[in-house]
Every structure is written in C-alpha cells, then in structure tokens.
Amino acid sequence: MTANNRQTDRTVACSVAIVGGGTSGLALATELKQLGIDDVIVIEREATAGGVPRHCGHYPFGVSEFRRLLKGPAYAQLLLDKARQAGVTLLTGTSVTALHPAGLLSLSDQDGPYQLQAERVILCTGTREATRAQRFLSGQRPQGILPTGALQSMVYLHGQRPFLRPVILGTELVSLSAIMTCRHMGIHPAAMLEENPQLIAPAWMRAYPVMRRVPVHLGVSEIHIEGRQTVEAVRFTDAHGNSRTIAADGVIVSGQFQPESALLRNSHLHICPNTGGPVIDQFYRSSDPSYFCTGNLLRPVETSAWCWQEGRQTARIIADELYSGSAPLSESTVGLVLDHPGLKFILPQQLRPSTRSHGMQQMQLRLRVPADGKLVFRAADDQLLWSGRLESLPERRILAPIEPMAEHARHANQGDTIRVGIEQSD
C-alpha cells in the first residue's frame, strides 16, 4: 500500500493488518514477513512504534528473545529495526476508530478518515494500569498522582522529576519497575502499600524494595490521599487495624492492569468478563474468524518476553491458515467454565475441534486468592479430563496442558462445557 493509493482510494486493502505496534505486534509482523506473507501492515497510534518498553529505561529486556541484556528503549528499537528490515509497513500516528465484521477497519490519521480491508486482523493493543477512580481511592484530587507508565514517560522521555518522596501503591513487578524509574531521577519512594497480605511480585524480585530501603506495608486498607494543590500525605489502615499516615509529595498508582479494550467494547467481538479482553480459542481467534488477538490484550499482564513469543506463535497460525490450504476451523466450540471462586480467569476461554498442529500448547490461569490443592478439568458428565498440583499466590502464571481438553473437544457436542475447579489434594 502506498501513500498515493491511500489518498485516492476510499478503501485500501492488505493481507494482514496488525493493530498495535508494541512487543507482540512487532514480533508478529516480523515473523509473518519471514514466513513469506508479503502484505503486512502495523497500525500504531503513537508517533513511534515500540510500545511500553520505550518508556522503561532499565534492565532486563531481551535475554530470552535475543540473548542480549537490554534496557527497554534499546529493546523496543531492536524490535522496530527487525520489523523494518523484514519489510513490514508501519503506519504510525494512525488510529483505528472502529472494527467492522469480516476484517474491515475504520482508520484516521493526519489526512483524515479512511478504511482498510484486511484478510486477517490481529489486535495487539496491550494493557494499561487501573486508574485511581477504578481503584476507588478516596481523598482530594491534588497534583502528583501518576500511573507507572506516565512516570516512566516523564522520566525517561522528557527528563522530568515530578516529585521527590512518593508513595507507591501496589507491589507487582511494575511497582518494582517504578522504584527503578525513581532511582534513575534521584527520587526516593517513601513507602510501598499493598492491600494483599504478601508481595505480588515474583519471589526473585521481592528483596528489591529492601535493597533500595523502601519500606513495604502489607495488608493495608482504607487508603486515603491527602492534599489540596499537591499531595501532602497518604493515610491508611495497617494490617493490625491502626491508622497510619506517611508524608509524601506524590503517589504512584501501579499495577492492577486491564486490557486496552476500548475498541472491543464498541465492536461486534465477544468480551470475556473475567479478563476484560477478547474471548478467544486455542488459535487466538476471536468470535469473528477474521479477527485474532494476542499479547497483553488477552489478559493483564505478561512480560515482554512472553508477549514476543505469543506474537510469533500467532504469526505461524495466521500463515498456516492463509497459505497452507488447511481445512477451515469448525464453528462449534466447547466453553471453559470457571467452577471455583478462587479462579480469576482462564485462557483460552473456549476450544475449537481441530487436528491442526499450530496452536496453544498450554492453558493459562490466575487466582484471586492463594490456593493449595489440585487444579481439575472435568467434562459436563463429571469425567476427569486432567488434574495437577496447585500451590500458588494471586497474579502468578499457572499453566496446564491443553491437549487433554482439546482431545475431549474434538468429540464433544456444540455448546458443551468443561468445568475448571480447585479441589483438595488426596
């Protein structure tokens, strides 16, 4: 597609359109080109592609993908360079305003609106942190309250220091990234507050706040931000029921990610109430067979390395479907139903009968609360399809093999379900 064609035709066309130029989108596009797909377009609303890593001026990125230890901006640039070298068409400064059936997109750029018709569309719009309002934080609305992404942009892209002694809300991996970002600009967090009784970050990173002399308060509640013009303090109730106040000149609202699903909510595609992202099958296909979804749009939130690998796997599925002559996928599905309140979500949400070799090899789950027992998958008639030991904390990646359930789906009836639960160990 050339610029002249776009300006003269009301609707232009391509083989594959990728919405989102972050890690998964660029990895997907590069892999498609390497698999021989000629007409691949990445649509990115920002002026520069690269996604979240562009704002993360710290290690570690790229180790499993490229066997190189990189900071976020260098990692994003490497992804972008590889996409360009592969011949991917990048449309930056371009917004997708609507998703229509059968792969038709409404777009808008500096020259105005137009439409793009693709054989396949892959949505890779990523994730975002929950806002203060979504977390129901009480208090005034002073200046100095930032999500981690905004902090990283101010520090790494613009060299600004928004505060000196902020309080960090949350202890996810991104919360520890916020400590690294603060350190880069000489900012020393006054404390980290976590509503859960334990740190959410992986075990290998839990010592980091101690190393940086940042006090951590677990099991807190009733968080209240004080200050009129700017943040002055954060008040909360600690795990023992005592009221505590920490002087601060800012608040970093970190974590509690949600898929960037605004396009989905205004479209014909089905949304999963548990993840807030799209409903997909084991081939990353959505409720419209022209649309696929991958990366952190699927669930909040995974590492760049995971999204890179997921994007490449989706590319192989797309290439196989478009050019290998594979038989069309069945329209019937078997749904996966969460049958325990401790389970937060499962991916995929449905299975499609198929003998294709390309596709997910593992299901991904997460918990709402700590669990110790067995993870079990049962058919509608209570037949045990698979079980495995489960001992995990919330927000940890839990994997289960997909093949036992996929085999059952090949012989099941349309509308059948598989129940996913937690049972006591024998």
Side-chain angles (χ1 to χ4, degrees):
M1 182 184 69
T2 66
N4 288 336
N5 285 338
R6 183 180 59 73
Q7 290 168 1
T8 56
D9 296 343
R10 187 170 182 271
T11 302
V12 295
C14 68
S15 297
V16 179
I18 299 168
V19 183
T23 299
S24 59
L26 291 175
L28 167 62
T30 303
E31 185 75 5
L32 282 171
K33 293 292 291 185
Q34 292 173 346
L35 291 170
I37 312 297
D38 290 329
D39 202 3
V40 180
I41 295 173
V42 173
I43 305 161
E44 171 56 52
R45 64 185 178 185
E46 299 289 338
T48 303
V52 170
R54 291 179 55 240
H55 307 275
C56 301
H58 55 72
Y59 303 106
F61 288 87
V63 175
S64 62
E65 304 94 303
F66 306 117
R67 302 296 186 267
R68 295 169 62 182
L69 183 61
L70 302 167
K71 290 184 178 180
Y75 175 80
Q77 188 61 52
L78 182 57
L79 290 171
L80 188 55
D81 290 344
K82 287 183 175 294
R84 285 173 172 156
Q85 291 164 8
V88 174
T89 299
L90 296 167
L91 300 182
T92 56
T94 303
S95 297
V96 177
T97 57
L99 309 175
H100 307 286
L104 181 64
L105 304 176
S106 292
L107 276 63
S108 180
D109 64 9
Q110 62 181 358
D111 297 322
Y114 63 102
Q115 291 188 314
L116 174 63
Q117 178 67 62
E119 293 182 60
R120 296 292 185 273
V121 176
I122 304 96
L123 304 178
C124 308
T125 50
T127 187
R128 57 181 172 80
E129 291 172 289
T131 65
R132 172 185 175 173
Q134 290 168 330
R135 295 173 69 142
F136 303 107
L137 296 175
S138 65
Q140 303 293 325
R141 297 189 177 274
Q143 295 181 353
I145 304 173
L146 299 173
T148 314
L151 171 68
Q152 291 171 332
S153 178
M154 293 178 72
V155 169
Y156 293 123
L157 298 186
H158 304 288
Q160 298 176 350
R161 185 168 60 181
F163 32 57
L164 289 172
R165 291 281 289 172
V167 166
I168 300 174
L169 305 185
T171 60
E172 296 180 37
L173 191 58
V174 70
S175 311
L176 307 189
S177 174
I179 297 177
M180 298 179 192
T181 302
C182 288
R183 185 166 177 262
H184 179 82
M185 194 56 74
I187 301 168
H188 188 82
M192 301 182 79
L193 305 184
E194 173 57 60
E195 294 173 303
N196 287 288
Q198 64 275 317
L199 269 71
I200 302 300
W204 58 275
M205 283 293 292
R206 290 184 196 172
Y208 188 71
V210 177
M211 290 171 54
R212 297 301 170 202
R213 299 181 180 179
V214 179
V216 177
H217 300 270
L218 302 173
V220 308
S221 60
E222 299 177 331
I223 299 172
H224 181 93
I225 300 172
E226 298 182 346
R228 293 184 175 274
Q229 299 300 319
T230 61
V231 175
E232 297 174 6
V234 175
R235 177 163 45 87
F236 62 95
T237 300
D238 67 18
H240 304 290
N242 302 315
S243 180
R244 303 279 301 273
T245 299
I246 296 177
D249 60 355
V251 174
I252 302 171
V253 183
S254 71
Q256 295 191 18
F257 285 91
Q258 301 176 356
E260 187 59 82
S261 57
L263 278 172
L264 291 175
R265 291 196 297 271
N266 296 314
S267 78
H268 62 296
L269 303 178
H270 296 170
I271 296 177
C272 174
N274 297 319
T275 64
V279 172
I280 61 165
D281 62 21
Q282 71 268 40
F283 302 102
Y284 299 95
R285 194 174 87 162
S286 75
S287 53
D288 181 333
S290 298
Y291 285 85
F292 291 71
C293 307
T294 194
N296 274 333
L297 173 64
L298 300 181
R299 97 261 81 196
V301 58
E302 271 295 348
T303 63
S304 289
W306 184 276
C307 293
W308 179 83
Q309 185 58 49
E310 207 164 56
R312 295 176 71 239
Q313 183 182 36
T314 307
R316 293 189 286 271
I317 293 169
I318 299 292
D320 181 64
E321 180 164 307
L322 286 177
Y323 296 105
S324 72
S326 297
L329 287 170
S330 169
E331 290 304 309
S332 67
T333 59
V334 172
L336 292 154
V337 179
L338 299 181
D339 196 29
H340 191 282
L343 291 169
K344 184 176 182 180
F345 69 76
I346 186 169
L347 283 175
Q349 295 90 349
Q350 57 187 18
L351 297 173
R352 205 172 294 276
S354 174
T355 57
R356 290 187 184 182
S357 58
H358 293 310
M360 295 183 187
Q361 302 302 308
Q362 295 174 308
M363 295 182 174
Q364 186 178 158
L365 305 95
R366 288 198 196 165
L367 298 172
R368 297 185 185 278
V369 296
D372 186 356
K374 290 192 304 183
L375 179 66
V376 295
F377 291 76
R378 294 186 180 276
D381 62 1
D382 209 37
Q383 174 192 356
L384 178 64
L385 303 177
W386 183 85
S387 69
R389 180 80 174 92
L390 175 64
E391 183 179 4
S392 182
L393 296 172
E395 301 304 327
R396 298 289 193 275
R397 180 194 304 150
I398 301 169
L399 301 176
I402 205 167
E403 180 54 31
M405 282 58 77
E407 175 63 25
H408 174 77
R410 294 184 191 111
H411 307 287
N413 298 317
Q414 164 65 15
D416 279 358
T417 59
I418 296 173
R419 293 182 290 109
V420 188
I422 301 173
E423 299 178 2
Q424 290 184 347
S425 299
D426 296 333

